[in-house]
Amino acid sequence: MATRPSSWATKSAWLLAKDLKCEFRTRYALNAILMFALTTLTVVSFSMGVFSLNPRITSSLFWLVIFFSSMSGLAQVFVKEEESRTVNLLKLVANPSTVLLGKLLFNLVLLLLLEIVVVPLFIILMNLSILNLWLFLSVLVLGSLGLVCATTIIAAIISKAHVKGALFAVLSFPILLPLLITAIDGTRLSIEGETFSAGWSDLRLLISYLVVMFTASILLFDFVWSE
Amino acid sequence: MISLEAKNLGKWFGKRKVFDRINFSLEEKSSLVVTGKNGSGKTTLLKILCGFIRPSKGEVLISFNGKTLNQDEGRNLLGLVMPDLELYGELTALENLVFLSRIRGLDPDKDKLKEKIAMVGLSEREDDLVFSFSSGMKQRLKYAFALLLDPGILLLDEPTTNLDQEGISLVDQIVSWQRERGILILATNKKADLKYGDQTIQLGN
């Protein structure tokens, strides 16, 4: 076999392809995410659907559905490698940055699939009219990227622990709180039809959060991965 | 010319000392058997040599033609079979080897990969999911993976676990082949395996 200089990104893409193939054969995380999302959406729409909710409550419910649904699946990305004892195989064949990028991309694809189902359903079931769609989409994209960055590094940290579920909740709550508060506020502004400039402070915060989390993930992951 | 040197290695988990002051040096066509009772740190030592975990003290140096390699370069010279290392059950035997070649930066030649699978006696099952394999077949597939790059350094932990007599003969062949061309490090509890080592380290003393 010929050796070829594969880039960091190419190797991460192979890892993503492998993870997607494994996921679609077992639906280990996908089923959990989608079932949780549909259950939460149904509960929310049955209990709140008859009332006309103000935008603040609607945007809070929207991000709660996204947050709790994604938590049930995104945390599994390293836990699964640890439980199936393939983590050492990955350590042997790939450098930490390749693994981090591959797993980030995998979680991003999972969250994207979740949002393709959840966002239109939420809008229909809650009879929601979004007056500034571009602001809504910008907040959704940046919020999702931040969520993926944070949950991926937390998933790597907790994967070696014995009480994974409890530790994930304890670690993720303080880390994700600023992201959720900002995303909820940005979504509220988009529902109310505020201008892009009115939502700019929220967007700036979301961008900053994303940059900080991505940088912290790169710096921390080497230590988390090798011990 | 590949060489591997362990300098004053020690490992503690909290206050519990696993081992201390481990020193050895290996060059091509040499072998080391690590022996000791359960819990003496054989697997831990192999994991440190592979770079999976950091030693509490000391260092591992892998050199190629006199140049000391960094961890990424050194890892590409390693072949490894150990109970703590499993292949992906959701992929077929061939898909596993294709993926592992690609992520190591190789251009996978499927015919050569099939040859590796045939060498370990699994050619009829190359397109089956690894989930459906028996423990012995999984162990054989680990050897196909370990030999993927014709490794300069081959590390084997409990190498005959789950293997039948035919599989044990295969391991004998691989061990002999590796001793003629590279470095072999073998961790075992079996006295019969001591014959494979030019050097022996007894842990847990």
Side-chain angles (χ1 to χ4, degrees):
Chain A
M1 278 175 288
T3 309
R4 62 176 177 189
S6 300
S7 69
W8 177 51
T10 311
K11 289 178 182 177
S12 299
W14 288 125
L15 180 59
L16 169 67
K18 183 277 293 176
D19 278 344
L20 287 175
K21 191 180 270 185
C22 291
E23 179 57 38
F24 285 111
R25 282 181 182 168
T26 59
R27 296 186 189 89
Y28 188 87
L30 203 58
N31 280 351
I33 286 179
L34 290 177
M35 282 312 297
F36 205 100
L38 290 175
T39 309
T40 328
L41 264 177
T42 311
V43 170
V44 167
S45 67
F46 269 96
S47 56
M48 305 285 184
V50 290
F51 303 109
S52 176
L53 299 176
N54 73 41
R56 188 176 293 279
I57 295 175
T58 311
S59 55
S60 301
L61 286 173
F62 174 75
W63 277 100
L64 281 179
V65 172
I66 300 270
F67 172 71
F68 283 112
S69 310
S70 60
M71 286 304 102
S72 57
L74 303 190
Q76 302 298 327
V77 69
F78 287 104
V79 173
K80 188 171 171 257
E81 298 276 1
E82 202 72 47
E83 286 178 349
S84 57
R85 298 202 296 183
T86 49
V87 69
N88 283 333
L89 182 68
L90 213 46
K91 281 180 180 176
L92 190 67
V93 296
N95 62 32
S97 47
T98 300
V99 176
L100 176 64
L101 184 62
K103 297 296 183 186
L104 271 171
L105 291 173
F106 176 68
N107 269 350
L108 192 60
V109 172
L110 276 188
L111 191 58
L112 186 69
L113 290 175
L114 167 77
E115 286 173 352
I116 286 171
V117 175
V118 166
V119 175
L121 271 178
F122 188 89
I123 291 170
I124 293 165
L125 291 173
M126 301 298 288
N127 199 18
L128 186 66
S129 52
I130 298 162
L131 299 177
N132 188 341
L133 188 64
W134 287 113
L135 179 59
F136 175 79
L137 289 175
S138 304
V139 171
L140 183 64
V141 168
L142 289 172
S144 303
L145 288 170
L147 192 61
V148 163
C149 266
T151 48
T152 305
I153 189 67
I154 297 168
I157 293 168
I158 60 125
S159 65
K160 292 180 176 68
H162 291 295
V163 197
K164 296 178 176 64
L167 192 60
F168 190 75
V170 167
L171 278 178
S172 60
F173 177 70
I175 293 173
L176 288 169
L177 198 60
L179 173 86
L180 288 174
I181 290 171
T182 315
I184 287 168
D185 193 54
T187 307
R188 175 185 63 82
L189 293 174
S190 72
I191 294 169
E192 288 172 345
E194 294 286 348
T195 58
F196 222 87
S197 55
W200 180 236
S201 62
D202 284 330
L203 292 175
R204 257 192 332 207
L205 258 173
L206 289 174
I207 292 168
S208 308
Y209 183 91
L210 178 60
V211 171
V212 169
M213 281 315 301
F214 188 68
T215 311
S217 299
I218 290 172
L219 294 175
L220 276 177
F221 189 72
D222 206 3
F223 295 97
V224 174
W225 186 239
S226 56
E227 193 69 55
Chain B
M1 173 71 86
I2 296 168
S3 68
L4 185 151
E5 189 178 6
K7 280 185 175 176
N8 201 26
L9 286 181
K11 184 68 186 174
W12 285 259
F13 289 115
K15 287 181 179 173
R16 189 174 71 83
K17 183 177 88 174
V18 184
F19 52 72
D20 193 13
R21 280 175 281 181
I22 300 287
N23 292 285
F24 60 84
S25 177
L26 295 165
E27 296 203 330
E28 266 180 26
K29 300 182 184 179
S30 65
S31 56
L32 169 74
V33 172
V34 183
T35 183
K37 58 188 180 186
N38 292 341
S40 59
K42 300 187 295 295
T43 301
T44 302
L45 177 59
L46 260 58
K47 284 182 177 176
I48 288 173
L49 296 177
C50 295
F52 292 171
I53 54 175
R54 294 191 179 93
S56 304
K57 70 172 203 185
E59 60 180 342
V60 178
L61 300 173
I62 297 176
S63 306
F64 183 68
N65 288 338
K67 183 197 165 204
T68 303
L69 305 178
N70 65 32
Q71 202 169 6
D72 278 351
E73 294 166 333
R75 211 168 32 211
N76 280 331
L77 296 175
L78 297 176
L80 174 66
V81 175
M82 61 167 26
D84 273 0
L85 182 144
E86 294 287 345
L87 293 156
Y88 290 98
E90 304 91 340
L91 301 180
T92 68
L94 187 58
E95 284 171 346
N96 262 291
L97 297 193
V98 168
F99 163 67
L100 294 166
S101 305
R102 280 178 174 151
I103 205 157
R104 276 191 139 168
L106 300 171
D107 205 358
D109 176 342
K110 283 197 178 175
D111 290 334
K112 286 197 175 169
L113 296 180
K114 285 178 180 179
E115 273 175 31
K116 297 282 182 195
I117 294 173
M119 195 182 86
V120 297
L122 293 173
S123 53
E124 288 176 10
R125 302 289 302 272
E126 66 185 27
D127 292 322
D128 290 352
L129 294 181
V130 173
F131 264 145
S132 67
F133 283 14
S134 70
S135 313
M137 290 163 73
K138 285 178 184 167
Q139 182 76 352
R140 282 170 180 246
L141 188 60
K142 286 184 198 176
Y143 278 97
F145 158 66
L147 301 175
L148 204 58
L149 292 179
D150 297 330
I153 303 167
L154 183 62
L155 299 105
L156 307 177
D157 186 9
E158 308 293 353
T160 53
T161 305
N162 298 321
L163 291 177
D164 55 17
Q165 197 51 50
E166 194 188 323
I168 292 170
S169 304
L170 173 73
V171 173
D172 279 338
Q173 279 176 33
I174 291 169
V175 163
S176 307
W177 172 74
Q178 183 66 21
R179 289 180 74 192
E180 285 168 13
R181 56 173 293 280
I183 294 172
L184 172 75
I185 300 176
L186 194 150
T188 182
N189 277 320
K190 293 178 182 168
K191 283 185 180 167
D193 291 340
L194 292 176
K195 66 181 182 219
Y196 294 129
D198 305 322
Q199 302 177 43
T200 304
I201 289 179
Q202 171 93 33
L203 295 178
N205 285 327

